[in-house]
Amino acid sequence: MIYTLPPLPYASDALEPRISKETIEYHYGKHLQTYIDNLNNLIAGTPYEEMQIETLIMTTSGPIFNNAAQVWNHVFYFNSLSPVQVSMPLELKDYLIRDFGSVENFKEMFKKAAAGVFGSGWAWLAQDAEGKLVIIQESNAGNPMRNGFKPLLTIDVWEHAYYIDYRNRRAEYIDRCWELINWDKVVKRMHSDLPSAVTDVETVMVTETSRDGLTEAIAEAIIEDEKDMRKYVCVTCGWVYDPVEGDPENGVPPGTPFSELPEDWTCPACGVGKEYFEPEK
Ligand code: MN
């Protein structure tokens, strides 16, 4: 599996003024991209390449865990935000009142937890195996699914998430970020079955259904099945089609696999059709 940067569900300036375009360009465009690149490099040619990202998070440690979890966490975070203010659904309010006494209490506790993460990390709203809502602080790349919780919402409190816009004022960033939370999404995540199965690593590794529930972040996200990026050679003249370069002069953008070339595409050197090409050996 090769991970690629998932599309951001809004324009890079859509969260302004709360989160600037510049922050998004660095945070999403550079930091997340780096975690993705690192993960790809770390798993290339290893059995980890065949595993789902949640399995990596549940079963690895060290650099693979760090980068896999950072990829997952960031996708989840960016997908938790909305440029349009979303009011909190009644259903969620009921659960928050049940588990935190009041919505206001929850808000205060969550913000306190986020502000209080020592160093770099994440604040989470998650659900335990019985469905109770809990607030969890995680350091560095931590993800509550490791302890059997189902993630519902996260705020990134690494400095790179706010330093450009808020400098060292983390609490102010959290307040503004709060106004961007997509509460509909939180409810949707509550209803997707899963990661309570995450308490049992075996289950996560073997069942497709648990995966479906678990991976909203992934489904929304990331991952492209490995494309056929082999070079193809024209058997008539020896010209080589390289998918990395494409054939821009003939309207084929870089990154186009041979199989996705238009049917009427022809060899730029000798003019024969696609059927005269073979994978490079
Ligand atoms: Mn981050």
Side-chain angles (χ1 to χ4, degrees):
M1 181 136 44
I2 293 176
Y3 297 91
T4 57
L5 192 66
L8 194 63
Y10 35 77
S12 56
D13 61 356
L15 305 182
E16 291 194 334
R18 295 174 181 88
I19 296 177
S20 68
K21 184 173 187 226
E22 190 184 358
T23 290
I24 293 290
E25 283 171 354
Y26 275 85
H27 194 192
Y28 165 79
K30 296 190 194 297
H31 289 279
L32 174 53
Q33 182 69 63
T34 301
Y35 293 124
I36 290 171
D37 293 343
N38 288 346
L39 180 60
N40 284 329
N41 291 334
L42 286 162
I43 64 178
T46 75
Y48 297 117
E49 221 173 9
E50 308 302 320
M51 294 181 187
Q52 305 298 348
I53 193 165
E54 293 82 8
T55 309
L56 297 178
I57 293 171
M58 296 299 291
T59 60
T60 66
S61 58
I64 292 181
F65 165 76
N66 286 336
N67 285 283
Q70 284 293 79
V71 170
W72 200 102
N73 295 355
H74 278 94
V75 174
F76 198 77
Y77 164 74
F78 287 118
N79 279 297
S80 298
L81 305 179
S82 164
V84 183
Q85 285 213 0
V86 177
S87 56
M88 192 183 280
L90 278 178
E91 181 189 357
L92 178 59
K93 285 186 180 169
D94 286 344
Y95 283 110
L96 293 171
I97 291 165
R98 182 192 71 183
D99 295 333
F100 299 101
S102 70
V103 176
E104 270 310 302
N105 260 354
F106 159 67
K107 185 171 157 184
E108 205 174 299
M109 287 168 71
F110 191 95
K111 287 184 176 182
K112 214 175 194 174
V117 171
F118 183 75
S120 297
W122 302 82
W124 300 84
L125 175 66
Q127 220 169 0
D128 71 13
E130 276 76 53
K132 185 173 186 286
L133 301 181
V134 288
I135 295 166
I136 297 172
Q137 295 172 309
E138 294 276 359
S139 295
N140 301 319
N143 182 306
M145 75 170 82
R146 294 261 286 194
N147 295 314
F149 295 97
K150 172 169 148 183
L152 300 177
L153 167 70
T154 193
I155 292 185
D156 185 345
V157 292
W158 284 59
E159 272 190 355
H160 68 220
Y162 59 87
Y163 208 81
I164 292 171
D165 298 329
Y166 299 95
R167 299 300 169 194
N168 60 342
R169 302 187 305 278
R170 185 194 280 187
E172 193 181 331
Y173 153 72
I174 294 164
D175 281 340
R176 296 287 81 77
C177 200
W178 191 263
E179 297 162 355
L180 296 169
I181 291 172
N182 187 341
W183 297 107
D184 287 337
K185 177 110 347 150
V186 175
V187 171
K188 203 174 134 216
R189 288 167 175 164
M190 269 174 73
H191 290 301
S192 76
D193 67 10
L194 203 287
S196 52
V198 171
T199 43
D200 179 355
V201 173
E202 290 305 308
T203 315
V204 176
M205 288 168 71
V206 295
T207 63
E208 279 302 311
T209 45
S210 65
R211 218 193 111 57
D212 289 345
L214 213 199
T215 53
E216 183 222 3
I218 300 317
E220 283 175 349
I222 296 193
I223 291 158
E224 287 186 2
D225 282 327
E226 202 161 347
K227 282 184 182 168
D228 178 4
M229 295 301 275
R230 284 175 299 174
K231 294 176 182 175
Y232 278 72
V233 183
C234 175
V235 295
T236 310
C237 74
W239 188 85
V240 178
Y241 176 77
D242 181 355
V244 174
E245 290 176 9
D247 182 15
E249 286 180 14
N250 294 298
V252 178
T256 307
F258 184 81
S259 61
E260 289 175 20
L261 288 172
E263 278 317 303
D264 59 357
W265 180 85
T266 56
C267 175
C270 74
V272 298
K274 284 177 76 175
E275 66 274 23
Y276 289 91
F277 280 72
E278 284 177 0
E280 190 180 62
K281 302 225 165 59

